[in-house]
Amino acid sequence: MRTHPEGSDAWQEPDQGHNTLGKTSQARRFRRVLNLAGNRLTELDDLGSLQSLTELNVRRNQIVKANSLQQLQSLQRVFLSNNRIQSFDAVECIFDIRFLMELSMDGNPIALQEPNAYRRYAVEHVKTLRHLDLKRVTDAERRTVALESHKEDERRRATEKHEMLAIERRKLQVERHEAIRAAERQWMDQKNVSSKGESGRTPTNFPDGIWLRRTCHETPTALVEEKQGSADPLRRKDKHVSGAPTCVLPNDAHSRRFESSGKLSNGSRVVPSIGYYEVEIGGLQRDERVLQLYGEAWECLDSPKIIGTCTALICRFVSIDRVVEKLRPHASKFVKLRKATFGDNGILAFRQILNLASICQAVPLLMELQIESNPVCSLSLVRPLVCSTFLSIQCFNGKTVTKRDQARHSNQMGLFCIRADKKAISQTSVRYDRDSSDTINRVVASATTNALRTEEFRRVLERCDSRFDYTLAP
């Protein structure tokens, strides 16, 4: 025991008769009651020799910490009132006393700050306690404390789980953005390489300023090796995310990202194809599933569960020719698909829209189509072409498509409607594609040229003087 008594360098324990400690250690060893109240003690320690002690009274001291009380096997009552104990960690040894029945700690900062929490903690952790601060601890109170403690544990576990989910959600969000950015960088590299490869070509069979380019899918490393280092290597990974259904962080999602590489026929190495996909689950009944594809993420098409349950499809940062190639064998399996969105696909010609129409016609429930961030979107003939070739579409780029619109635009577009007719599409087979592809391409190219020339002529007329009224013959 440490103390700082006034006017002396040492302190002696009082005995029962003269308030002083007995002179022999034998007397101290068999002492049953020890009263050290009002002696300015600051710490309790070195009491292990008092094995017969049953009651310890250290009220009205300056104790901030107590040790070794668990060594007193017979101790049943401890009075620590009116000291300076700040937390239970300072008197942790009390909870290890085997037969403690009465405890008094009132008047300490720990009891004054939060009385209810203090009493609940003491009753919960000292199972043998019968009196606390001179108040009886009943069985009903102990059951109430146990119930409240259980609820508190549940709240704490829920908070910890929420924090862990928040951390995981932030981690997934960062990984998602990195994967999408990698797919976008590769798409921009492919576009740049395609533009460089065709910058020296002279457009033919098209009006001035309008010509077609083919999007390159496989790009030699030598042409984009400067930018390839900026794309982080992606590893295969499955994720399950919970939360509010938003574009950034889905309610529940299955996402995967991967990369594959190969070589061209001439032996040069090919840039790894980077892709990322996720399935976002939302809606009031959790029946809406949006399949989002970024880049070359075609693994999801091998899962019947994914393509058979998705209600919306988004394809970005991949050429439309690759989209048509990959979706053609699986188009009829999208039995619940109602909306399709295509953005940043390098759609440059009406022929590519017709190829996309042949795929969409095989989707039974497709009713809404969105084409955005593509060069062909600037042409005013896109909507008439879509209305006349996508026969099941009821909404295009946010605007309703009526039967009257389809009939009117079908009469205007002429040859384009033949390619979109369901019977013609159902009769189009692999053999037909092989034998008649050249003829179809010539017909479509000729129709595309005439349509683009008509569009250019229309624009020229609009720039003419408003005093003259020109009309374009159908």
Side-chain angles (χ1 to χ4, degrees), residues 202-216:
T202 303
T204 58
N205 299 329
F206 291 94
D208 294 340
I210 302 177
W211 57 293
L212 298 180
R213 295 178 296 177
R214 180 178 300 275
T215 302
C216 180

Side-chain angles (χ1 to χ4, degrees), residues 173-188:
Q173 186 175 0
V174 172
E175 293 180 353
R176 177 181 185 270
H177 287 315
E178 290 178 353
I180 294 176
R181 286 290 298 168
E184 182 181 6
R185 285 193 296 267
Q186 180 172 352
W187 169 247
M188 296 303 298

Side-chain angles (χ1 to χ4, degrees), residues 311-325:
T311 58
L313 173 65
I314 299 176
C315 293
R316 294 187 183 276
F317 309 131
V318 60
S319 67
I320 192 64
D321 297 332
R322 290 286 292 172
V323 172
V324 172
E325 175 188 351

Side-chain angles (χ1 to χ4, degrees), residues 15-16 67 76 86 115 140 171 196 203 206-207 225 307 347 422 455 457:
D15 61 8
Q16 295 181 358
N67 296 316
Q76 299 179 6
Q86 300 286 341
K171 180 180 178 182
K196 292 179 180 179
F206 291 94
E225 60 183 357
I307 64 177
I347 303 178
K422 290 184 178 180
E455 176 67 18
F457 183 59

Side-chain angles (χ1 to χ4, degrees), residues 27-67:
R28 288 198 300 267
R29 186 178 300 115
F30 293 100
R31 189 181 298 274
R32 300 178 62 85
V33 177
L34 181 60
N35 186 355
L36 300 175
N39 282 280
R40 294 191 178 182
L41 299 176
T42 60
E43 184 176 343
L44 290 179
D45 202 355
D46 299 331
L47 297 176
S49 60
L50 302 177
Q51 292 299 314
S52 298
L53 190 67
T54 60
E55 179 179 325
L56 176 61
N57 183 3
V58 287
R59 292 187 178 98
R60 302 186 306 279
N61 283 284
Q62 300 177 6
I63 298 175
V64 296
K65 187 176 182 181
N67 296 316

Side-chain angles (χ1 to χ4, degrees), residues 280-312:
E280 178 184 345
I281 302 176
L284 297 178
Q285 304 297 329
R286 299 177 63 82
D287 55 350
E288 297 180 4
R289 286 170 169 78
V290 183
L291 174 58
Q292 303 182 30
L293 297 174
Y294 300 92
E296 300 287 336
W298 306 114
E299 276 193 347
C300 58
L301 300 180
D302 297 332
S303 173
K305 181 178 180 181
I306 293 179
I307 64 177
T309 58
C310 71
T311 58

Side-chain angles (χ1 to χ4, degrees), residues 70-88:
Q70 74 276 9
Q71 300 177 5
L72 307 179
Q73 300 295 326
S74 302
L75 190 60
Q76 299 179 6
R77 293 177 294 276
V78 177
F79 301 99
L80 288 166
S81 303
N82 300 311
N83 281 282
R84 298 182 180 180
I85 301 174
Q86 300 286 341
S87 65
F88 282 110

